[in-house]
Amino acid sequence: PPSPYQDRPWEYLESEEYRATYGDKPVWHGYRRNHKGSVPPQRTRKACLRRGRRVGNPCPICRDRNLLVDFRNVKLLDQFICPHSGVIFHPIHTGICMQQHKRLSQAIAQAQDHGLLWLHVPFVPVPEEDFSNQHAAVGKTPPAPALKGPGQAWYPWYEWQQPPAAEVARMRRLYQGFLKENYPDTPPS
Amino acid sequence: GKAAQPRPAFTDEAVQTLLYKMTGLDLHKVFRPVKKGLKPPQYKLMTEAQLEEATRKAIEEAKTKLIMPPVLNEREPIDDVLAEDKVLEGTETAKYVFTDLSYSIPHRERFIVVREPNGVLRKATWEERDRMIQIFFPKEGRRVIPPTLFKDENLGTVFQQDRHEDVLNMCVAQFEPDSPDYIRVHHRTYEDIEKHGKYDLLRSTRHFGGMVWYLLSRKKTDGLLIDMINRDLLEDATSLITLYHMLHPECQSAKEAKEGKLQGVDLIKVFVKTESQREGYIQLALQAYEEAMATSSAS
């Protein structure tokens, strides 16, 4: 069933229900993955919802239907970013599935783009160039001497030119048997 | 008649020295720790001489960081048609952009032309130029499509978080100094700072000079003056008023100051009587300052 906080996911993080479930700890605190051996696989599971069915022990975001990954609920996104270095935690550290991690990274990028999340701004020194815009590339260039007026073509052969009479006679002699009768020398305009 | 002096520009030496003095040089703010990859802290044992040498080097570096970005007028849009070839009409369905990719020409002299489907060969507009140059010669901190943060709706959220300096740094990285977007974002930021009186956010950054220039050209200096007097920065207040007189030499207080050759607190008092809108507040602030000076000199 869809969550009641579908349109306003940030409200859930202020509600009594959330405080009762998680308290002050982040959402992924206390989640433990099930795997063989002491070293966990270096990638979490691909997705928690396989062909519409929930797997056993779903990840911290998929197990709570009210937690929606959206660029607007900044409080949830903040829990997955290191407060000291500003870097997104690896899914092994938080335990979320790879699909949710991808959506989370996209939501964090979107939130930073909109200005809701802090973003590291590198120091760009002031450009030292000539701002007068006098060069022809960004100003007006005078028209070419070949163009004497508007509507003139760049090259003379853009418009139809009458070929020399010798050429016309040569062509006629070559294609004697195939020419239509009464074929004009100049094409009709 | 009288030969009028040309209006002082932002790049004049006198103006720049005054603005630089007003910006201040708080080393703790310029080199404050930034969120980045963690490293264990480094400790150094230094003698007095070495410490002085290190502070001197830090001041040199801070000076390079405080070079002010240029304040220019908005650029003229480019609309120049090179050729109109009706022969090509209907042959293509999309525009073609031809960019000159020679490495050693400055970007402002690069030729970028667009062939439209109707056969017109025209020079590319400024937005197209910026996009193409960013695609072929990417610059650090600049994106091909500017972030949505620079739209008017989203600037409000950032200002509520007091991140004006970040916005201005991103703006300098993203846009050219004479583009309309750069000017619009800067003006919005300065307006917001002036509305809420958050002048201290930009002190010791490279954007303080630009803000002061904006406020001076629009004669909105009252809030800044009150802030300076409250923080006991009398020299900054006097330099602000000298700049005002340089920019608007025809106003009443400029003439009185020139006749009387006033200095310090008298200059401020003359300015307050003639030019300011919020006289009451400035008088109160001056009174508080003088009382504080009296008590400190008495004790």
Side-chain angles (χ1 to χ4, degrees):
Chain A
S3 145
Y5 296 95
Q6 195 73 34
D7 300 317
R8 307 165 313 267
W10 52 90
E11 279 181 21
Y12 174 63
L13 281 125
E14 326 258 342
S15 64
E16 286 296 324
E17 215 183 315
Y18 176 86
R19 256 209 92 83
T21 338
Y22 299 104
D24 282 330
K25 304 258 174 62
V27 165
W28 45 267
H29 180 88
Y31 175 77
R32 193 148 174 192
R33 287 169 72 189
N34 297 331
H35 56 84
K36 281 193 210 165
S38 62
V39 174
Q42 295 304 293
R43 265 201 293 202
T44 46
R45 64 160 70 94
K46 192 168 171 183
C48 286
L49 219 61
R50 293 259 177 176
R51 287 158 148 248
R53 288 159 161 242
R54 227 178 300 128
V55 294
N57 196 22
C59 69
I61 302 182
C62 300
R63 67 185 171 185
D64 190 342
R65 70 168 186 175
N66 297 323
L67 285 176
L68 297 160
V69 170
D70 195 81
F71 74 94
R72 290 167 293 183
N73 54 348
V74 178
K75 286 197 176 161
L76 178 66
L77 299 180
D78 263 331
Q79 292 175 2
F80 291 90
I81 303 178
C82 176
H84 308 290
S85 65
V87 140
I88 310 178
F89 286 128
H90 202 275
I92 303 176
H93 184 75
T94 50
I96 52 178
C97 56
M98 298 311 282
Q99 193 190 49
Q100 287 293 348
H101 176 70
K102 194 169 181 184
R103 286 175 60 194
L104 185 79
S105 328
Q106 282 169 351
I108 289 175
Q110 241 185 330
Q112 283 171 342
D113 196 43
H114 280 261
L116 300 160
L117 266 185
W118 176 89
L119 176 65
H120 173 62
V121 181
F123 175 78
V124 171
V126 172
E128 280 185 19
E129 48 181 71
D130 176 38
F131 296 111
S132 56
N133 294 344
Q134 298 294 328
H135 195 222
V138 295
K140 294 277 188 194
T141 29
L147 290 172
K148 289 174 195 80
Q152 284 258 327
W154 189 264
Y155 294 108
W157 45 260
Y158 274 19
E159 273 117 39
W160 189 87
Q161 284 169 322
Q162 174 70 34
E167 281 291 321
V168 174
R170 196 178 126 239
M171 285 293 144
R172 280 188 180 272
R173 207 172 0 145
L174 263 178
Y175 299 104
Q176 259 165 0
F178 306 97
L179 284 175
K180 286 191 205 161
E181 293 167 4
N182 305 328
Y183 195 77
D185 273 342
T186 46
S189 56
Chain B
K2 185 176 71 170
Q5 290 237 331
R7 223 183 124 131
F10 184 73
T11 41
D12 287 346
E13 268 208 49
V15 174
Q16 285 282 307
T17 32
L18 280 170
L19 288 172
Y20 180 71
K21 255 194 323 178
M22 279 206 272
T23 324
L25 193 70
D26 186 10
L27 285 172
H28 289 280
K29 187 168 172 192
V30 175
F31 294 113
R32 80 187 131 197
V34 162
K35 264 197 230 175
K36 48 192 270 203
L38 293 173
K39 275 190 297 195
Q42 280 184 336
Y43 298 102
K44 287 188 187 167
L45 272 174
M46 291 203 230
T47 58
E48 283 279 346
Q50 280 174 332
L51 182 65
E52 271 170 49
E53 175 70 23
T55 20
R56 201 182 52 80
K57 269 200 202 156
I59 291 175
E60 293 286 323
E61 223 185 278
K63 277 191 187 153
T64 51
K65 276 197 169 181
L66 289 180
I67 296 174
M68 293 183 229
V71 175
L72 305 163
N73 297 326
E74 231 179 272
R75 59 196 175 191
E76 306 277 332
I78 306 176
D79 54 349
D80 200 15
V81 171
L82 294 170
E84 289 185 28
D85 299 320
K86 295 281 182 260
V87 199
L88 298 166
E89 206 163 330
T91 47
E92 304 287 343
T93 47
K95 288 191 257 195
Y96 281 83
V97 180
F98 297 95
T99 329
D100 180 10
L101 293 180
S102 327
Y103 194 69
S104 54
I105 9 171
H107 292 316
R108 297 245 162 186
E109 294 176 21
R110 215 171 269 287
F111 279 95
I112 301 181
V113 294
V114 173
R115 172 76 78 180
E116 306 246 352
N118 61 358
V120 151
L121 184 70
R122 61 171 174 87
K123 285 191 193 152
T125 57
W126 281 111
E127 291 84 40
E128 289 166 354
R129 279 188 72 90
D130 287 335
R131 247 188 310 139
M132 288 297 132
I133 290 171
Q134 179 55 20
I135 291 173
F136 291 112
F137 301 97
K139 205 171 125 177
E140 197 209 326
R142 198 181 274 208
R143 289 162 48 168
V144 179
I145 300 172
T148 42
L149 162 53
F150 292 120
K151 298 205 175 121
D152 288 318
E153 317 80 71
N154 302 346
L155 277 173
T157 32
V158 192
F159 292 152
Q160 270 165 15
Q161 296 172 14
D162 275 357
R163 279 168 53 198
H164 300 78
E165 197 197 327
D166 286 337
V167 168
L168 289 176
N169 279 335
M170 283 171 82
C171 188
V172 169
Q174 178 67 38
F175 300 116
E176 295 283 310
D178 51 0
S179 83
D181 281 315
Y182 178 98
I183 294 170
R184 175 184 55 90
V185 171
H186 275 255
H187 287 349
R188 263 297 296 269
T189 323
Y190 298 149
E191 293 278 331
D192 192 81
I193 291 179
E194 204 247 322
K195 197 166 91 170
H196 298 283
K198 295 178 186 167
Y199 304 99
D200 202 42
L201 284 171
L202 286 193
R203 220 163 244 148
S204 290
T205 61
R206 55 187 177 157
H207 307 286
F208 194 76
M211 180 179 78
V212 170
W213 187 259
Y214 174 83
L215 294 173
L216 280 173
S217 3
R218 279 154 190 77
K219 299 193 181 180
K220 287 183 186 171
T221 47
D222 297 327
L224 184 56
L225 200 55
I226 296 171
D227 186 73
M228 280 176 175
I229 299 173
N230 285 339
R231 286 172 207 272
D232 296 338
L233 298 162
L234 258 278
E235 305 98 28
D236 292 350
T238 40
S239 37
L240 177 68
I241 296 175
T242 22
L243 266 175
Y244 190 97
H245 294 331
M246 277 164 75
L247 263 181
H248 307 281
E250 70 285 346
C251 72
Q252 185 68 29
S253 63
K255 291 180 190 145
E256 283 184 30
K258 224 168 109 178
E259 284 161 27
K261 291 209 196 323
L262 305 166
Q263 300 288 336
V265 191
D266 307 312
L267 195 62
I268 307 178
K269 286 186 180 153
V270 160
F271 177 81
V272 162
K273 260 184 280 189
T274 50
E275 290 291 326
S276 65
Q277 269 97 36
R278 288 192 250 173
E279 263 194 69
Y281 290 104
I282 308 184
Q283 299 280 12
L284 269 171
L286 269 173
Q287 262 178 8
Y289 173 74
E290 272 161 8
E291 279 164 23
M293 287 287 288
T295 46
S296 65
S297 58
S299 62

